[in-house]
Amino acid sequence: MPKQRAPIRMPRSRTEAFSDGVFAIAATLLVVEVHVPDVHQPGLAGTLAHALREEWPSYAAYAVSFAVIGIMWVNHHATFDRVARVDRALLFLNLLLLGVVAFIPFPTAVLATYLRYGVDADSRTAAVFYSLVMLAAAFAFVLCWSYLGRHQDLLREDVEPHAARVALRRSWVGVAVYVVTIPVALLNPYLALATYAGLALFFVFAERPARDADD
Amino acid sequence: MPKQRAPIRMPRSRTEAFSDGVFAIAATLLVVEVHVPDVHQPGLAGTLAHALREEWPSYAAYAVSFAVIGIMWVNHHATFDRVARVDRALLFLNLLLLGVVAFIPFPTAVLATYLRYGVDADSRTAAVFYSLVMLAAAFAFVLCWSYLGRHQDLLREDVEPHAARVALRRSWVGVAVYVVTIPVALLNPYLALATYAGLALFFVFAERPARDADD
Amino acid sequence: MPKQRAPIRMPRSRTEAFSDGVFAIAATLLVVEVHVPDVHQPGLAGTLAHALREEWPSYAAYAVSFAVIGIMWVNHHATFDRVARVDRALLFLNLLLLGVVAFIPFPTAVLATYLRYGVDADSRTAAVFYSLVMLAAAFAFVLCWSYLGRHQDLLREDVEPHAARVALRRSWVGVAVYVVTIPVALLNPYLALATYAGLALFFVFAERPARDADD
Amino acid sequence: MPKQRAPIRMPRSRTEAFSDGVFAIAATLLVVEVHVPDVHQPGLAGTLAHALREEWPSYAAYAVSFAVIGIMWVNHHATFDRVARVDRALLFLNLLLLGVVAFIPFPTAVLATYLRYGVDADSRTAAVFYSLVMLAAAFAFVLCWSYLGRHQDLLREDVEPHAARVALRRSWVGVAVYVVTIPVALLNPYLALATYAGLALFFVFAERPARDADD
């Protein structure tokens, strides 16, 4: 009677509903940090058209973070789709992951703000900070899959034993990828932004073989 | 066994729940950009009643964008109602659409801000910017239906073959309509705002025949 | 076959999910307008304790608007619980209602801001503005029930014919109540705030007979 | 026929969906109060790296409040998991609880702001204010379980009679714990922040026996 000994009665569906809510809100809140330029402010000159073009780092950071949160939502679903029941530890590992995801609007806003000032120490710092938060999110997936690998009774019966190992290995790839973006951020924060965008596009377009491997 | 060969196990229901969340949050976040007038600020004069009346472009932009997001939500539902299963490409086309919808509060705030200053180059820019974002949203629907037209196996079995063609054609009408608002925005941004409102009212009240055609 | 001739395939469940989202977000966004007092700002004096006490209108307005949105959510549920299917007109009447509900954080912030300055023309304006938005929300319920009364085929089969009339009459009571708060707001905005709170408490504690009458 | 005499037809599922929404939004809104440091502002010096480190109270307050809201969500679920039907009083007690939870971003922002200025009267006030709001949330759980204890017919049939007493006693423990944090806050607000974090960690890691007792 594995279902009756469940130590906490949180059904997977309600965990998913709460998680979907956090992912959807975090993605939608990103726009709050894109500010209306005030060209009528004393001391400022130029047209709105110019000011809107100057804000391109905000749009780029918005697009990249929206894509990243969307991809993490897809990954989150792929993870919980294999889970049969949620115990207390998995519940709090999931909250840890959600806490990092919900924080993403902040490093996004920092990156968008400091990319406006060109390549300097501060824009490098902003890009490293962004990389570190992404790293934390990737690591939260590692923690989830590491725990699921050690508690395979939480997984659905039709999930093959090696699936958790494959998923854990792929989570570590996510960590490694964001570790690599740190020296890129130190070199050139614009290149780092392009790298984040490229990683998102790579995941969307090119990851099919890896996905098939463990499906 | 078309369901078992689904390359990604994202059920339509969870895609819809996430999408509903983004639509609902984007619509509700619009109010964050309606600012409380501070008539006690040094240098400002006049009553609150006057200041609240002066803010009419914010209310109008709020109402129009709320209606537009609501209409897009209805369209989104009509689209996914015909989908039997969601593959990876459709998932990311949907994320692209949601990313544009979640961005709408920004051009709305830009339009509301610059409509206060009368017809000038900046208010024209603001209206063109609003038109361009709407155009992007309409085009995301084109991409979804273009993909669905080429992958009819994703559609429900009771959806007739020509339905995707009709829906695609209607999505292009949405694109065309927002292309037409660009010269209107260049002519007079207030007229553009009235046009956006008129388009929303037209969709709500007058679209029945077109809708019946593909139902 | 009343279900097959439904002119739009929006199920009640997805309309409710979207509506629940808007109600929950509007209620939770209220807190964004409660601002952290900055007692370290040059020119300001006093302790944080003093500043937090001075902000009481913000807390009161938060509590009243949260309660009002919660009560409207309960009413909204009671309305849609009787609906068997949602047609296009009801869908857009519902969007109209949601648009007013999602706007509530703005008059709440205006009221909280101007109640700080004592009874003057501006705080009276703020209270009248709050009453007008509540009036608009109450009127949106009238429109919904007026439409449902004229399209009883949208209601569930076990809903008695006079139920729509009773619900419509009760919606008009909501309108009348908020009309009455307008002269109160002109007299004294603090009294108006107390009236809004009293109305919410009355609904919570005293409305049982009216509710039983149409259940 | 206990289900047919239900005085209000709000199903548990829709109450949970609305509550999940408020919890998810309140948790995700916390990030809005973490502000981008503007090191290019005239009069400010130092690097972004320095400014980001200086903001540690914001990150700590974010993490603690996210964990607290997450824990309250788990508790909320554990409460409503035992509820068979929701009557009018429980509906409004739940709204009271949600109203306090949705308010948490404000004391969090106050605490984060004033912890930057070291131990003084204002940072003590900020920590006491935070404790009081947590106390109010804990007390709202007491009200819910006190009501459920007096209306056991609302509980599921398989919930043992003493379960409500155990849950009520545990809710009072939550109140007592936050009462104890008030003198800690008066002593040293940083110690209070560490205490809030410790309480959250204690709940996550150490509460198993208590949980088993009433499961």
Side-chain angles (χ1 to χ4, degrees):
Chain A
M1 297 166 292
K3 277 194 180 155
Q4 288 188 345
R5 72 174 169 88
I8 195 161
R9 283 200 199 109
M10 180 69 73
R12 211 191 78 186
S13 64
R14 208 178 161 192
T15 303
E16 285 188 344
F18 183 79
S19 306
D20 282 359
V22 171
F23 278 101
I25 302 156
T28 317
L29 272 183
L30 291 168
V31 79
V32 172
E33 296 291 351
V34 184
H35 297 294
V36 178
D38 183 1
V39 300
H40 290 253
Q41 206 180 310
L44 279 186
T47 61
L48 175 61
H50 178 75
L52 286 176
R53 277 195 300 270
E54 288 279 294
E55 270 207 89
W56 73 265
S58 288
Y59 315 144
Y62 170 88
V64 168
S65 287
F66 198 95
V68 165
I69 293 175
I71 288 167
M72 285 181 181
W73 171 70
V74 172
N75 275 347
H76 185 270
H77 170 75
T79 299
F80 276 79
D81 187 45
R82 290 168 191 173
V83 168
R85 54 194 194 81
V86 177
D87 72 357
R88 193 176 190 83
L90 186 58
L91 196 63
F92 286 110
L93 287 174
N94 186 43
L95 278 179
L96 180 70
L97 170 59
L98 295 179
V100 180
V101 168
F103 195 65
I104 288 178
F106 178 61
T108 304
V110 170
L111 184 63
T113 303
Y114 286 91
L115 280 185
R116 289 181 173 218
Y117 300 110
V119 179
D120 64 1
D122 290 338
S123 59
R124 284 186 179 106
T125 300
V128 170
F129 184 57
Y130 190 90
S131 289
L132 288 174
V133 174
M134 294 299 140
L135 195 58
F139 193 67
F141 274 108
V142 166
L143 291 178
C144 285
W145 273 112
S146 170
Y147 183 81
L148 284 171
R150 282 174 290 118
H151 298 81
Q152 304 234 0
D153 57 313
L154 297 177
L155 296 173
R156 288 196 330 211
E157 287 185 16
D158 61 336
V159 174
E160 288 179 39
H162 78 286
R165 277 198 309 277
V166 173
L168 179 58
R169 206 182 313 139
R170 290 183 55 207
S171 306
W172 276 116
V173 171
V175 170
V177 157
Y178 280 111
V179 166
V180 169
T181 64
I182 294 177
V184 178
L186 287 169
L187 191 71
N188 186 317
Y190 296 97
L191 190 60
L193 180 65
T195 308
Y196 307 140
L199 288 171
L201 289 175
F202 177 80
F203 183 89
V204 171
F205 287 113
E207 214 208 19
R208 260 166 223 167
R211 179 185 40 71
D212 288 344
D214 61 313
D215 248 293
Chain B
M1 296 169 293
K3 276 192 180 155
Q4 290 189 345
R5 72 175 169 89
I8 196 162
R9 283 200 200 110
M10 180 69 72
R12 211 190 77 186
S13 64
R14 209 178 162 192
T15 303
E16 285 189 342
F18 183 78
S19 306
D20 283 359
V22 171
F23 278 100
I25 301 155
T28 319
L29 273 184
L30 290 168
V31 79
V32 172
E33 295 291 352
V34 184
H35 297 294
V36 179
D38 183 2
V39 300
H40 289 253
Q41 206 179 311
L44 280 186
T47 61
L48 174 62
H50 178 75
L52 287 176
R53 277 195 299 272
E54 289 279 294
E55 269 205 89
W56 73 264
S58 288
Y59 315 144
Y62 170 88
V64 167
S65 287
F66 197 96
V68 165
I69 293 175
I71 289 167
M72 285 181 181
W73 171 69
V74 172
N75 276 347
H76 185 270
H77 169 76
T79 299
F80 276 79
D81 187 44
R82 291 170 190 171
V83 167
R85 54 194 196 80
V86 178
D87 71 357
R88 194 176 188 83
L90 185 58
L91 196 63
F92 287 110
L93 286 175
N94 186 43
L95 278 180
L96 180 70
L97 170 60
L98 295 179
V100 179
V101 168
F103 194 65
I104 289 177
F106 178 61
T108 304
V110 170
L111 184 63
T113 302
Y114 285 91
L115 280 186
R116 290 181 173 218
Y117 300 111
V119 178
D120 64 2
D122 290 338
S123 59
R124 285 186 179 106
T125 300
V128 170
F129 184 57
Y130 190 90
S131 289
L132 288 174
V133 174
M134 294 299 139
L135 194 59
F139 192 67
F141 275 107
V142 166
L143 291 177
C144 285
W145 273 112
S146 170
Y147 183 80
L148 284 170
R150 281 175 288 120
H151 298 81
Q152 303 235 2
D153 56 314
L154 298 176
L155 295 173
R156 287 194 332 209
E157 286 183 17
D158 61 336
V159 174
E160 288 178 39
H162 77 287
R165 277 199 308 278
V166 173
L168 178 58
R169 207 182 313 138
R170 291 184 56 206
S171 305
W172 277 115
V173 171
V175 171
V177 157
Y178 280 112
V179 166
V180 169
T181 64
I182 294 177
V184 178
L186 287 169
L187 191 71
N188 186 317
Y190 296 96
L191 190 61
L193 180 65
T195 307
Y196 307 139
L199 288 171
L201 289 175
F202 177 80
F203 183 88
V204 171
F205 288 113
E207 212 206 19
R208 259 164 224 169
R211 179 185 40 71
D212 287 343
D214 60 313
D215 247 293
Chain C
M1 295 170 293
K3 278 192 177 154
Q4 289 188 345
R5 72 173 169 91
I8 196 162
R9 285 201 198 107
M10 178 70 72
R12 212 190 77 187
S13 64
R14 208 178 162 192
T15 303
E16 286 189 344
F18 183 79
S19 306
D20 282 359
V22 171
F23 278 100
I25 301 155
T28 318
L29 272 184
L30 290 167
V31 79
V32 171
E33 294 291 351
V34 185
H35 297 294
V36 178
D38 183 1
V39 300
H40 290 253
Q41 206 180 313
L44 278 187
T47 62
L48 174 62
H50 178 75
L52 286 176
R53 276 195 301 271
E54 288 280 294
E55 269 206 90
W56 73 264
S58 287
Y59 315 144
Y62 170 88
V64 167
S65 287
F66 197 96
V68 166
I69 293 175
I71 288 167
M72 284 181 182
W73 171 69
V74 172
N75 276 347
H76 185 269
H77 170 75
T79 299
F80 276 79
D81 186 44
R82 290 169 191 172
V83 168
R85 54 193 194 82
V86 178
D87 71 358
R88 194 176 189 84
L90 186 58
L91 196 63
F92 287 110
L93 286 175
N94 185 44
L95 278 179
L96 180 70
L97 170 59
L98 295 179
V100 179
V101 168
F103 195 65
I104 289 178
F106 177 62
T108 305
V110 170
L111 185 63
T113 302
Y114 286 91
L115 279 185
R116 289 183 173 215
Y117 301 111
V119 179
D120 63 2
D122 290 338
S123 59
R124 284 187 179 105
T125 300
V128 170
F129 185 57
Y130 189 90
S131 289
L132 288 174
V133 174
M134 295 299 140
L135 195 57
F139 192 67
F141 275 107
V142 166
L143 291 178
C144 285
W145 273 112
S146 171
Y147 183 80
L148 285 170
R150 282 175 288 121
H151 298 81
Q152 303 236 0
D153 56 313
L154 298 177
L155 295 173
R156 287 194 333 209
E157 286 184 17
D158 62 337
V159 174
E160 288 179 37
H162 78 286
R165 277 198 310 277
V166 173
L168 178 58
R169 208 182 312 138
R170 291 183 56 207
S171 305
W172 276 115
V173 171
V175 170
V177 157
Y178 281 111
V179 166
V180 169
T181 64
I182 293 176
V184 178
L186 287 170
L187 192 70
N188 186 317
Y190 297 96
L191 190 59
L193 181 65
T195 308
Y196 307 140
L199 288 171
L201 289 175
F202 176 81
F203 183 89
V204 172
F205 287 113
E207 214 209 17
R208 259 164 224 170
R211 180 185 39 72
D212 288 344
D214 61 316
D215 248 293
Chain D
M1 294 169 292
K3 278 196 177 153
Q4 288 189 343
R5 72 175 169 89
I8 196 163
R9 284 199 198 109
M10 179 69 72
R12 211 190 77 186
S13 64
R14 208 178 162 192
T15 303
E16 285 189 344
F18 183 79
S19 306
D20 283 359
V22 172
F23 278 101
I25 302 156
T28 317
L29 272 183
L30 291 167
V31 80
V32 172
E33 295 291 351
V34 184
H35 297 294
V36 178
D38 183 2
V39 300
H40 288 254
Q41 205 180 313
L44 280 186
T47 61
L48 175 61
H50 178 75
L52 286 176
R53 276 195 301 272
E54 288 280 294
E55 267 206 271
W56 72 264
S58 287
Y59 315 145
Y62 171 87
V64 168
S65 286
F66 197 96
V68 165
I69 293 175
I71 289 167
M72 284 181 182
W73 171 69
V74 173
N75 275 347
H76 185 269
H77 170 75
T79 298
F80 276 80
D81 187 44
R82 289 168 192 175
V83 167
R85 55 194 193 82
V86 178
D87 71 357
R88 193 175 189 83
L90 185 59
L91 196 63
F92 287 110
L93 287 174
N94 186 43
L95 277 180
L96 180 71
L97 170 59
L98 295 179
V100 179
V101 168
F103 194 65
I104 289 178
F106 178 61
T108 304
V110 170
L111 185 63
T113 302
Y114 286 91
L115 280 185
R116 289 184 174 214
Y117 300 111
V119 179
D120 65 1
D122 290 338
S123 58
R124 284 186 179 106
T125 300
V128 170
F129 184 57
Y130 190 90
S131 290
L132 288 175
V133 174
M134 295 298 141
L135 195 57
F139 192 67
F141 274 108
V142 166
L143 290 178
C144 285
W145 273 111
S146 170
Y147 183 80
L148 284 170
R150 282 174 290 120
H151 297 81
Q152 304 235 359
D153 57 314
L154 297 177
L155 295 173
R156 287 197 329 211
E157 287 184 18
D158 62 335
V159 174
E160 288 179 39
H162 77 285
R165 278 199 307 278
V166 173
L168 179 58
R169 208 182 311 138
R170 292 183 54 207
S171 305
W172 275 116
V173 171
V175 171
V177 156
Y178 279 112
V179 167
V180 169
T181 64
I182 293 176
V184 177
L186 287 170
L187 192 70
N188 186 319
Y190 296 97
L191 191 59
L193 180 65
T195 308
Y196 307 139
L199 288 171
L201 289 174
F202 177 80
F203 183 89
V204 172
F205 287 113
E207 213 208 18
R208 261 165 221 168
R211 180 187 38 73
D212 287 344
D214 59 316
D215 249 293

